[in-house]
């Protein structure tokens, strides 16, 4: 029974260690995901800042162009028409650049989301595997406890049988001794 208790303690300690290892592994995976997500977000912010700087440069160019248009208006109506065409081209280029930048940013965000979801799914799979291992260890522990209980019950039944045999032998010996004593008493009476 003492050996069984020691085995039970060892099994419980192993199950607890497996559960702690699983929890630590999951926390490590979550921390790694958070770090990667933060790094990608910082990179996206830097790209957005660069795009905003380009937009400001376009706006400055547009302001300079407006100033040039004022000068050209004074010089000639023909130059003004040409300036309008240039302005339209600049606005179209600025709009196209802004749309391309926005599309690129959205694409980068989608890629980061997909990578983050893939990592999270992988972490969930690892956690499921660790939980399954913990459940298997718990089932093994329960099986070992059942086996020890069965062995203990078998040994107890065997001890009861031995005790009955000893009691029967003692009773037979007592009866034999009593009969022998009675026989000796009869012999002494006759003498």
């Amino acid at each position: 029974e003492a050996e069984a208790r020691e085995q039970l303690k060892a099994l419980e300690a192993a199950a607890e260690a497996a559960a702690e290892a699983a929890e630590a592994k999951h926390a490590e995976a979550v921390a790694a995901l958070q770090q990667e997500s933060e790094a990608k977000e910082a990179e996206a912010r830097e790209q957005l800042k660069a795009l905003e700087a380009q937009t400001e440069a376009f706006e400055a160019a547009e302001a300079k162009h407006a100033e040039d248009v004022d000068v050209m208006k004074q010089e000639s109506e023909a130059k003004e028409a040409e300036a309008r065409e240039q302005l339209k081209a600049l606005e179209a280029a600025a709009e196209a650049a802004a749309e391309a930048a926005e599309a690129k940013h959205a694409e980068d965000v989608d890629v980061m989301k997909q990578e983050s979801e893939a990592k999270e799914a992988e972490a969930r799979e690892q956690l499921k595997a660790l939980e399954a291992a913990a459940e298997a260890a718990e089932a093994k522990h329960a099986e070992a406890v059942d086996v020890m209980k069965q062995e203990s019950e078998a040994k107890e039944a065997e001890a009861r049988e031995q005790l009955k045999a000893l009691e029967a032998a003692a009773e037979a010996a007592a009866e034999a001794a009593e009969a022998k004593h009675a026989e000796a008493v009869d012999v002494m009476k006759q003498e």
Side-chain angles (χ1 to χ4, degrees), residues 144-165:
V145 170
D146 288 339
V147 170
M148 287 189 291
K149 282 183 180 177
Q150 291 173 1
E151 289 178 353
S152 177
E153 288 173 357
K155 288 187 177 177
E156 187 176 349
E158 183 181 355
R160 281 198 298 270
E161 290 300 324
Q162 291 176 352
L163 181 59
K164 286 180 182 178

Side-chain angles (χ1 to χ4, degrees), residues 41-51:
E41 188 177 350
E43 182 180 354
R45 282 198 297 269
E46 291 299 324
Q47 291 177 352
L48 185 58
K49 286 181 183 177
L51 291 171

Side-chain angles (χ1 to χ4, degrees), residues 117-147:
E117 288 172 358
K119 295 274 188 171
E120 187 175 351
E122 182 181 355
R124 281 198 298 269
E125 290 300 323
Q126 291 176 350
L127 180 59
K128 285 181 182 177
L130 290 170
E131 288 174 347
E135 289 177 359
E138 186 175 353
K140 183 69 176 172
H141 169 67
E143 181 182 351
V145 170
D146 288 339
V147 170

Side-chain angles (χ1 to χ4, degrees), residues 4-5 13-14 20 34 52-53 72 79 83 87 133 148 154 163 186:
R5 282 198 297 271
E20 290 176 354
Q34 288 178 346
E52 288 173 352
M72 286 187 290
K79 293 272 182 88
L87 179 59
M148 287 189 291
L163 181 59
D186 286 342

